């Protein structure tokens, strides 16, 4: 079908005789497309881990632009082994309520919508990073350079204050995931 634009994510052109360019829902196990940018989702107040929350509809949303320590991830602070993942989850849990404003970015991660979380004017991503419980995910912030700069500034604050994981030794969450739990 030359000249026709490609279908949006989660859709496919089928081979049935139709008008040129008509879209049909893919019949595979593909996930539906994520909500559009700015689409408001409803927080339940429950936290899955340091960068994922549960929504009112039972699904989850992944935080935008920050990568928190995994639930089973540990590090060393003051010579003691500590659960950085639990610290990150507890920190996000202290911040997220059913009133948390959750705005979709229009992207998805493993079928979950990626969204910003804002509680009472506090950006949860920035808070997690400033607390030393998450790292900026700059690869994903290309469309939001101001947030990227803010998140890098928050990381500098955490390093200077030796907050959270910066008080000791840790492995980056992405490296931890690569090696497996």
């Amino acid at each position: 079908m030359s000249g026709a634009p490609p279908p949006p994510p989660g859709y496919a052109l089928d081979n049935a005789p139709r008008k040129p360019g008509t879209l049909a829902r893919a019949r595979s196990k593909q996930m539906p497309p994520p909500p559009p940018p700015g689409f408001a989702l409803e927080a339940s107040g429950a936290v899955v881990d340091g960068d994922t929350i549960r929504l009112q509809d039972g699904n989850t949303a992944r935080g935008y632009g920050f990568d928190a320590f995994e639930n089973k991830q540990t590090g060393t602070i003051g010579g003691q082994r500590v659960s950085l993942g639990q610290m990150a989850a507890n920190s996000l849990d202290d911040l997220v309520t059913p009133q948390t404003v959750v705005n979709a970015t229009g992207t998805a991660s493993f079928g979950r919508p990626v969204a910003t979380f804002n509680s009472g004017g506090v950006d949860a991503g920035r808070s997690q990073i400033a607390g030393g419980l998450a790292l900026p995910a700059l690869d994903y912030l290309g469309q939001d350079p101001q947030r990227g700069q803010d998140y890098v500034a928050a990381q500098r604050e955490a390093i200077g204050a030796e907050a959270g994981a910066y008080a000791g030794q840790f492995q980056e969450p992405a490296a931890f995931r690569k090696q497996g739990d």
Side-chain angles (χ1 to χ4, degrees):
M1 205 178 256
S2 64
Y11 291 85
L13 294 175
D14 67 10
N15 295 330
R18 297 176 185 245
K19 290 186 206 174
T22 302
L23 296 179
R25 192 78 169 123
R27 289 186 178 92
S28 69
K29 292 186 179 188
Q30 278 185 313
M31 299 301 295
F39 185 85
L41 303 167
E42 294 183 359
S44 70
V47 167
V48 175
D49 61 25
D51 54 24
T52 306
I53 65 169
R54 184 140 331 267
L55 301 171
Q56 289 278 345
D57 65 7
N59 291 315
T60 59
R62 169 77 165 80
Y64 176 59
F66 67 103
D67 191 14
F69 296 103
E70 298 298 324
N71 278 336
K72 294 181 181 177
Q73 190 170 355
T74 61
T76 305
I77 297 177
Q80 300 293 313
R81 189 177 193 96
V82 296
S83 177
L84 295 174
Q86 282 307 129
M87 289 169 62
N90 291 343
S91 173
L92 189 61
D93 190 51
D94 289 345
L95 196 64
V96 172
T97 70
Q99 290 74 41
T100 296
V101 177
V102 182
N103 285 313
T105 64
T107 58
S109 172
F110 297 101
R112 305 170 293 180
V114 176
T116 60
F117 311 146
N118 190 300
S119 291
V122 176
D123 177 334
R126 187 185 200 295
S127 180
Q128 290 291 83
I129 294 166
L133 300 171
L135 306 178
L138 299 177
D139 291 348
Y140 300 98
L141 289 169
Q143 299 298 317
D144 194 347
Q146 181 59 49
R147 187 180 305 269
Q149 290 172 2
D150 190 36
Y151 282 10
V152 168
Q155 183 182 35
R156 286 188 187 123
E157 291 170 21
I159 292 168
E162 294 184 353
Y166 294 107
Q169 296 178 334
F170 64 91
Q171 181 179 34
E172 290 187 2
F176 178 80
R177 284 190 299 274
K178 270 188 180 176
Q179 77 178 22
D181 296 357

